Structures are given as structure tokens and as C-alpha cells.
Amino acid sequence: MSNTLEKLAEVLESRKGGDPDASYVAGLYAKGLDAILKKIGEEATETVMAAKDGEAEKIVYEIADLWFHTMILLASQDLKPQDILQELERRFGLSGLDEKAQRLS
């Protein structure tokens, strides 16, 4: 599974500086951070709406779009999926309440 994320991250990285007319991702990079963030907001809203509808197929589709666009954000900030996986690993076995308390202190 993480291999898919790694392959996608490589493709997204390769689109940096690409022709915005030839690549959707290159076009988002060219438009800048605000355009990427706007797209993530749209995809998050669509994910919420799909979940409210309760249709598994729609939920999976919209979450795939959300993950895709958040990966574009990661790449734009020179971060990798592995950075997120390491953070999740750090949190594994840690109570959500304890983790939140650590952030607040």
C-alpha cells in the first residue's frame, strides 16, 4: 500500500516545473499554494457530503481525491508520504487524549 503512495509521490514530484497546459498537477503547482489549498477544501467538503450520503463507493472515490490533493500539498512543501507515516507511527499506541494533551503543552 505505501508503495502506491511512494510511486504517486514520485510522479507528483516529477510534475514540479512541468508544463501547466500539459499536466493538471503542474497547473496546480503553477497557480500556487492557495489554489492547492482551495482544492483540498473542495475535496474535503465532497468527502463529507459523500459520507453523509452513506454510499461506500462515493466515500472511497472522494477520499482518494482528497488524499491525491493532500499529496500535491506535501510535494509542494517538499514533504513525502513517509513523513506522515512516521508521524502516524509515532502516535501509534498513544491515546488520542494523551497525544492532544502533548500538543497543547
Side-chain angles (χ1 to χ4, degrees), residues 32-95:
L33 183 60
D34 285 347
I36 296 168
L37 296 175
K38 180 180 178 188
K39 195 63 186 164
I40 290 172
E42 290 171 8
E43 298 303 341
T45 299
E46 290 172 6
T47 298
V48 169
M49 291 172 20
K52 294 287 277 180
D53 289 344
E55 294 182 37
E57 188 175 312
K58 282 185 181 180
I59 294 168
V60 169
Y61 183 87
E62 294 302 341
I63 289 177
D65 280 351
L66 180 59
W67 283 21
F68 178 79
H69 288 90
T70 56
M71 288 194 56
I72 293 171
L73 172 63
L74 287 175
S76 76
Q77 301 298 304
D78 297 320
L79 296 167
K80 307 272 185 241
Q82 189 59 35
D83 297 316
I84 307 308
L85 295 174
Q86 286 172 348
E87 176 60 15
L88 290 171
E89 182 67 28
R90 183 191 70 78
R91 295 181 189 186
F92 194 82
L94 181 64
S95 156

Side-chain angles (χ1 to χ4, degrees), residues 22 24 70 100:
Y24 170 77
T70 56
K100 185 175 181 180

